[in-house]
Amino acid sequence: MRSEADQEDERLASLAVILPLAVTGFVIAAGCWTLFAVAGIHLRAELSLTDLQFGLLLAMPMAVSAVLAVPAGLAARKFGARRVMLSCLTGLAVCMVILLTTDTFPGYLLAAGGLGLAGGFYSAGLQFVISKCQSHQLGLVLGIFGSGVTGAGFTYYLVPLFHEAFSWQGVPLAYLIVLLLVLALLILLSDPEDAIADPETETSIRVLFQRFRRQGVWQHGAYFGVIAGSFFALALWLPDYLSSQFELQIGSGAGLAQWFILPGALAQILGGGLSDLHGSHRVIGRSLLVGLAALLVLSYPPMTLFIRGVDATIEVEFALPMIVESIFVVVLGVALGCAMGSLQRIVIIESRQNAAFVAGLLLVSACSVAFLLPVIFGAANHWLGVRSAVFMILFLLLGLCQFLYSRFSRRQERHAFLQPGL
């Protein structure tokens, strides 16, 4: 009979193989979410798309991800996370083939919807990686997996690069090659028993919802949706915002936007690790405070102050230089990333047996917010005519989130103190 030390060594060895494969797959999947944020600009010119058609291309991957996330989580629990991951990667590869062969808007719209399989990969992948880690490692492992969101930033770099060297169709080809490689490695290096199916698992959504409401998962999932949705929405909006604000080419604006996405995605590792050490509530609260401070600075639009002097009127210009604004954008990304990593950890700890289903709920809430916020950003810019209104909206939203989360966490602490056995 094997000792506990041998079992732990075997688990760590399995995790060392599983985690890099899952993270690589999620990097590609997350890149699919933002593929049309830059490539869609070229398609808009080539196909003479209307604003509505362009908006549909941007929104379809997130919208379909929200629809598929929960069913994929249930399927991962019932039929095995590995099988669902392979199915999603195969579907994404098919979408890349469609992008390489189509030249019509319906074809691109079909492919954009298929890219929503990235949401199914997230739900199943999360279940896949936590099956081999202990509770004291959970925050760090979830943070590493969540850092796969860096794929959204790689798209901002790849599309302009390939468009300049070849054409933007080189990006789907590159993604297709990597997808096939990850598929092959996942089949060869992972054991089908790494994510064992449980045909008897609870699949009644009504029963699961009632159970999670008692555990407080709903509230944490809502806070995660607001924070992660704000992160994704701003990631989609920043290339156009930075290009317009500083009169840059779209490729340069997309390059600057990476400095929000990449540090923010990697900060999930920091947030998860700190939560393992100091607790999630403390990390979430302080991360939101830092994010609010950054948003307060970014919210101020360029202004001109006229001072009536004795002999002349003095003009004083107030505007953040590009380097200063970029620094605060990085700080904002890191703060949101830390909060996302901490919230993801606390939700999964409370419902580890149904991690894939809960991951689906988290993604539904995040994608819903990420779908709505760009519409609100556009309306605010149209009515107010102030580009920094985007950050004003996020300041109000996250300020409300911070206030409500503080009340919720204090109520939970009082309940745990007064009724420690429950």
Side-chain angles (χ1 to χ4, degrees), residues 30-42 58 62 149-163 171 175 231-242 249-262:
C32 294
W33 279 331
T34 56
L35 183 61
F36 285 103
V38 185
I41 296 171
H42 304 300
L58 281 181
M62 282 292 183
V149 177
T150 50
F154 293 152
T155 301
Y156 289 161
Y157 174 76
L158 283 174
V159 173
L161 182 67
F162 276 84
H163 181 73
V171 178
Y175 272 43
F231 179 86
F232 291 136
L234 195 54
L236 290 171
W237 192 264
L238 271 178
D240 181 69
Y241 169 82
L242 294 171
Q249 296 293 326
I250 188 64
S252 301
L256 279 178
Q258 291 182 77
W259 294 104
F260 170 77
I261 298 172
L262 299 182

Side-chain angles (χ1 to χ4, degrees), residues 236-383:
L236 290 171
W237 192 264
L238 271 178
D240 181 69
Y241 169 82
L242 294 171
S243 301
S244 303
Q245 183 79 350
F246 299 108
E247 299 180 354
L248 304 173
Q249 296 293 326
I250 188 64
S252 301
L256 279 178
Q258 291 182 77
W259 294 104
F260 170 77
I261 298 172
L262 299 182
L266 294 174
Q268 291 188 69
I269 303 174
L270 176 64
L274 289 175
S275 296
D276 286 337
L277 295 174
H278 305 294
S280 295
H281 294 302
R282 183 181 300 179
V283 175
I284 294 165
R286 294 182 180 179
S287 298
L288 286 176
L289 285 176
V290 172
L292 287 172
L295 284 169
L296 183 64
V297 176
L298 292 169
S299 294
Y300 277 91
M303 295 181 291
T304 303
L305 178 65
F306 293 93
I307 303 174
R308 291 183 180 178
V310 176
D311 299 318
T313 300
I314 303 170
E315 292 185 18
V316 180
E317 300 245 349
F318 293 95
L320 287 177
M322 185 171 67
I323 183 66
V324 175
E325 184 145 351
S326 299
I327 290 171
F328 279 100
V329 165
V330 172
V331 172
L332 176 60
V334 171
L336 293 179
C338 283
M340 287 161 56
S342 300
L343 277 166
Q344 188 173 241
R345 171 188 177 272
I346 198 170
V347 171
I348 297 303
I349 280 181
E350 290 174 352
S351 50
R352 185 165 179 171
Q353 293 302 315
N354 295 286
F357 177 73
V358 173
L361 292 179
L362 294 180
L363 194 60
V364 167
S365 61
C367 288
S368 300
V369 175
F371 177 75
L372 292 173
L373 277 180
V375 178
I376 297 173
F377 292 164
N381 273 359
H382 177 72
W383 289 331

Side-chain angles (χ1 to χ4, degrees), residues 40-362:
I41 296 171
H42 304 300
L43 286 176
R44 188 177 191 173
E46 290 179 12
L47 301 178
S48 301
L49 301 180
T50 65
D51 289 340
L52 177 60
Q53 290 173 321
F54 179 65
L56 281 173
L57 279 180
L58 281 181
M60 280 298 286
M62 282 292 183
V64 176
S65 288
V67 172
L68 291 181
V70 170
L74 290 173
R77 183 67 177 155
K78 191 173 183 67
F79 303 111
R82 179 178 178 271
R83 185 178 299 175
V84 176
M85 291 170 68
L86 291 173
S87 300
C88 290
L89 290 176
T90 303
L92 289 173
V94 172
C95 291
M96 296 305 162
V97 174
I98 295 174
L99 287 175
L100 287 170
T101 56
T102 190
D103 58 358
T104 63
F105 174 71
Y108 287 118
L109 193 62
L110 174 64
L115 296 181
L117 287 166
F121 184 90
Y122 169 79
S123 299
L126 191 142
Q127 176 74 48
F128 195 54
V129 297
I130 69 168
S131 63
K132 293 295 181 181
C133 70
Q134 299 292 332
S135 295
H136 67 276
Q137 304 167 322
L138 192 59
L140 181 61
V141 170
L142 288 173
I144 293 173
F145 178 71
S147 68
V149 177
T150 50
F154 293 152
T155 301
Y156 289 161
Y157 174 76
L158 283 174
V159 173
L161 182 67
F162 276 84
H163 181 73
E164 184 178 343
F166 308 103
S167 66
W168 80 266
Q169 282 88 350
V171 178
L173 179 60
Y175 272 43
L176 176 61
I177 294 170
V178 177
L179 280 167
L180 294 176
L181 179 61
V182 173
L183 262 171
L185 290 174
L186 193 59
I187 293 171
L188 292 173
L189 298 180
S190 64
D191 190 332
E193 296 183 357
D194 281 338
I196 300 173
D198 184 7
E200 303 301 323
T201 189
E202 177 62 65
T203 57
S204 170
I205 294 179
R206 182 177 59 84
V207 173
L208 289 171
F209 280 177
Q210 291 176 348
R211 182 186 306 165
F212 293 150
R213 190 169 71 174
R214 290 194 298 269
Q215 295 173 344
V217 171
W218 276 109
Q219 292 91 334
H220 284 114
Y223 297 128
F224 179 87
V226 171
I227 295 171
S230 299
F231 179 86
F232 291 136
L234 195 54
L236 290 171
W237 192 264
L238 271 178
D240 181 69
Y241 169 82
L242 294 171
S243 301
S244 303
Q245 183 79 350
F246 299 108
E247 299 180 354
L248 304 173
Q249 296 293 326
I250 188 64
S252 301
L256 279 178
Q258 291 182 77
W259 294 104
F260 170 77
I261 298 172
L262 299 182
L266 294 174
Q268 291 188 69
I269 303 174
L270 176 64
L274 289 175
S275 296
D276 286 337
L277 295 174
H278 305 294
S280 295
H281 294 302
R282 183 181 300 179
V283 175
I284 294 165
R286 294 182 180 179
S287 298
L288 286 176
L289 285 176
V290 172
L292 287 172
L295 284 169
L296 183 64
V297 176
L298 292 169
S299 294
Y300 277 91
M303 295 181 291
T304 303
L305 178 65
F306 293 93
I307 303 174
R308 291 183 180 178
V310 176
D311 299 318
T313 300
I314 303 170
E315 292 185 18
V316 180
E317 300 245 349
F318 293 95
L320 287 177
M322 185 171 67
I323 183 66
V324 175
E325 184 145 351
S326 299
I327 290 171
F328 279 100
V329 165
V330 172
V331 172
L332 176 60
V334 171
L336 293 179
C338 283
M340 287 161 56
S342 300
L343 277 166
Q344 188 173 241
R345 171 188 177 272
I346 198 170
V347 171
I348 297 303
I349 280 181
E350 290 174 352
S351 50
R352 185 165 179 171
Q353 293 302 315
N354 295 286
F357 177 73
V358 173
L361 292 179
L362 294 180

